[in-house]
């Protein structure tokens, strides 16, 4: 595992996963499985897109990650629709954390 990926995963677990533990809606605990099992793909999506809007990132993640996760043939996802998909629910924060780490990585030039 690269140092960059380790830093990203650590920050995500600290900010996103731990933050969900204190969520005011404990009945809807998010599932972070898709985020952490496909983290390399999510990082590649963020790394490959530069945009001020989060929408292009959403579109690409749905194309790459969601299409092989729980999404049905029509693009629907029960986990996403019921707000239990942690990747979808916290996506803007996830993108921000990855962007910050990519920007701070001395081995990458953005």
């Amino acid at each position: 595992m690269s140092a960059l990926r380790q830093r990203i995963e650590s920050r995500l677990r600290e900010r996103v996963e731990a933050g969900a533990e204190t969520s005011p809606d404990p009945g809807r605990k998010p599932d972070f499985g898709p985020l952490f099992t496909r983290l390399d793909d999510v990082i590649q999506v963020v790394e490959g897109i530069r945009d001020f809007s989060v929408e292009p990132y959403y579109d690409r993640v749905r194309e790459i990650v969601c299409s092989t996760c729980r999404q049905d043939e029509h693009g629907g996802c029960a986990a996403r629709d019921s707000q239990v998909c942690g990747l979808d629910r916290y996506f803007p924060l996830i993108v921000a954390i990855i962007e910050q780490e990519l920007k701070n990585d001395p081995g990458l030039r953005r």
Side-chain angles (χ1 to χ4, degrees), residues 2-4 12 16 19 21 26 28-29 33 41 47 50-51 56-57 63 73 81 86 104 106 110:
S2 74
L4 174 63
L12 288 172
V16 180
E21 294 295 322
R28 278 205 180 143
K29 185 174 174 152
D41 292 328
E47 191 174 21
R50 291 185 186 179
D51 205 296
Y57 299 97
E63 186 179 305
E73 67 274 1
D81 292 345
N104 293 332
R110 281 200 103 195

Side-chain angles (χ1 to χ4, degrees), residues 5 7 9 14 16-18 25 33 36 55 57 66-67 70 72 79-80 82 89 91-92 95-96 98-99 102:
R5 187 191 190 285
R7 285 194 317 272
E9 183 171 345
E14 178 184 302
V16 180
E17 194 176 50
D25 190 1
F36 293 113
E55 291 307 314
Y57 299 97
C66 298
S67 65
R70 298 179 193 132
D72 66 25
R80 195 170 55 222
S82 63
R89 187 169 166 183
F91 195 68
V95 169
I98 294 171
E99 282 280 347
L102 289 170

Side-chain angles (χ1 to χ4, degrees), residues 49-69:
I49 297 174
R50 291 185 186 179
D51 205 296
F52 293 106
S53 167
V54 79
E55 291 307 314
Y57 299 97
Y58 268 123
D59 294 342
R60 191 73 176 134
V61 161
R62 288 194 175 139
E63 186 179 305
I64 292 174
V65 176
C66 298
S67 65
T68 59
C69 183

